[in-house]
Amino acid sequence: MSPWLQRVLYLLVLALVGTGLLGLRSDWQLANNPALLPPEWSASNRMLHGIAAYGLLVVAGMVAAVHVLPRWRQQRQLKSGLALALVLVLLALTGLALYYAASERLRELSDWVHLLAGLALPLVLAVHVAQARRKQEA
């Protein structure tokens, strides 16, 4: 994968994790004091999170074409690559469910799965990259 595509991917993941954690903070504040109004930055933060998510979907498509398919054929990094793909698919599906779900139960389940997958994303990506670098050095 080209260095610029890697940098864009890492920047988007960082933006998503950062805005996701800020959103969690805002939600936590409101849950602990329902009389509070959402912080002024909360709506802008959610908008940035959504924009970064769309960006990651575009970049993930590019990565699938130039990185995933060739490595799949070479049988390289299959387990960590599949784990990373699963986390990304979960994030995309639960993100849509958070936005469009009519059922409160589905929305609550999606919220928890989205949170856990979002926290897992940087870890799974780091493992995938570390394993690939270790194999390159060997």
Side-chain angles (χ1 to χ4, degrees), residues 1-110:
M1 181 174 8
S2 70
W4 75 268
L5 189 56
Q6 274 184 324
R7 283 192 288 270
V8 171
L9 175 69
Y10 298 157
L11 182 64
L12 286 167
V13 169
L14 183 63
L16 284 164
V17 171
T19 55
L21 291 173
L22 283 173
L24 268 178
R25 179 176 178 246
S26 174
D27 291 348
W28 181 80
Q29 285 175 321
L30 291 173
N32 285 323
N33 191 351
L36 286 176
L37 291 173
E40 292 178 16
W41 50 264
S42 185
S44 297
N45 182 66
R46 289 193 192 278
M47 181 181 65
L48 289 173
H49 191 75
I51 290 168
Y54 278 108
L56 185 60
L57 288 171
V58 170
V59 169
M62 295 168 70
V63 169
V66 301
H67 177 73
V68 175
L69 293 176
R71 298 312 183 274
W72 184 269
R73 289 184 191 112
Q74 296 169 353
Q75 301 286 304
R76 291 176 55 192
Q77 299 300 111
L78 292 180
K79 288 180 186 175
S80 63
L82 283 171
L84 185 54
L86 175 65
V87 168
L88 290 170
V89 167
L90 277 174
L91 284 167
L93 292 176
T94 55
L96 284 171
L98 287 170
Y99 196 72
Y100 290 112
S103 161
E104 190 60 35
R105 188 170 176 202
L106 176 59
R107 193 178 192 306
E108 188 174 313
L109 175 64
S110 296

